[in-house]
Amino acid sequence: MNVMPRRPRRALVLAALVSALAALSACSGTNAVSQSVAGSNGYQAGDNGLSWLAPRDRPNVGAVSGELLDGTHFDLSSWRGKVVVVNFWGSWCHPCRSEAASLDAVYRLDRARGVEFLGVDVREGRAQAATFVRERHIGYPSLFDPSDVLALRFPGLPPNATPTTLVIDRQGRIAARKSGQIFYTQLRDVVARAVAERT
């Protein structure tokens, strides 16, 4: 009877642990946004922090347009003058699945105040993303971005993890970023702060 030596068995256990840790970290960090796009390596590791910028320090959002999951064309500039929440997500990402209900709940509460929400679905097929949206009854639209290139249109405070949530002020500038899963109370608070601004 062949008995596996202890050392190789330990190596197998160690390899399994390394694989599990890699899977857990797949939703955040420097690989969360494709860094090979246009040779850009300007992304920092996700830190799960919430950043708020003073108006004078806010970078302007670039041109953001593309196809929504339903195939229609969308241009973010059509929402200029409104507070906009932009959430980068993928159905393959556990924190994205966990925060989806909170995002939709805040959207349904705050859209009457002129707040718009936009999802940016990254690194997956359209059918998989559409199923996710339909099954969770998400009411706001999502851009289809399988190559994850739209992240480059948010300079200065780019999405550096999946998920990342950005709050855009009425002037089309990035006011806030939450790197990692955002919670209901955090989102309500940061949206209320942006809505309260009059500049």
Side-chain angles (χ1 to χ4, degrees):
M1 174 170 128
N2 291 333
V3 177
M4 182 181 281
R6 288 178 183 264
R7 188 160 296 196
R9 185 174 295 164
R10 273 192 221 135
L12 287 172
V13 170
L14 182 59
L17 285 172
V18 169
S19 288
L21 288 173
L24 284 173
S25 65
C27 290
S28 64
T30 55
N31 290 327
V33 174
S34 175
Q35 298 182 38
S36 61
V37 178
S40 173
N41 287 309
Y43 297 102
Q44 301 173 3
D47 59 6
N48 209 37
L50 177 60
S51 304
W52 178 270
L53 296 180
R56 68 180 176 276
D57 298 326
R58 295 175 185 171
N60 290 314
V61 174
V64 177
S65 64
E67 267 192 18
L68 298 175
L69 290 176
D70 67 6
T72 60
H73 181 76
F74 176 81
D75 191 322
L76 183 60
S77 66
S78 67
W79 285 347
R80 182 64 60 87
K82 297 183 176 184
V83 171
V84 180
V85 175
V86 181
N87 176 256
F88 287 76
W89 66 277
S91 66
W92 44 267
C93 168
H94 178 72
C96 302
R97 297 193 296 271
S98 297
E99 71 178 6
S102 294
L103 284 156
D104 190 63
V106 176
Y107 163 70
R108 293 179 190 277
L109 284 169
D110 287 338
R111 62 183 172 173
R113 296 166 38 174
V115 179
E116 299 287 358
F117 276 56
L118 177 69
V120 181
D121 174 55
V122 299
R123 297 188 301 169
E124 67 180 336
R126 189 188 301 265
Q128 186 178 1
T131 298
F132 178 87
V133 167
R134 184 178 64 254
E135 289 179 348
R136 285 166 174 76
H137 308 289
I138 295 172
Y140 56 86
S142 280
L143 283 168
F144 179 56
D145 186 25
S147 298
D148 206 1
V149 296
L150 291 178
L152 301 174
R153 303 287 192 261
F154 297 85
L157 206 62
N160 63 351
T162 306
T164 290
T165 301
L166 303 175
V167 177
I168 313 301
D169 68 16
R170 292 184 180 92
Q171 287 72 45
R173 304 170 301 183
I174 302 172
R177 177 184 70 185
K178 175 63 195 294
S179 176
Q181 180 178 347
I182 195 162
F183 298 98
Y184 177 84
T185 53
Q186 290 177 319
L187 186 55
R188 292 275 352 242
D189 289 348
V190 76
V191 168
R193 188 173 179 181
V195 168
E197 291 184 337
R198 296 300 171 201
T199 58

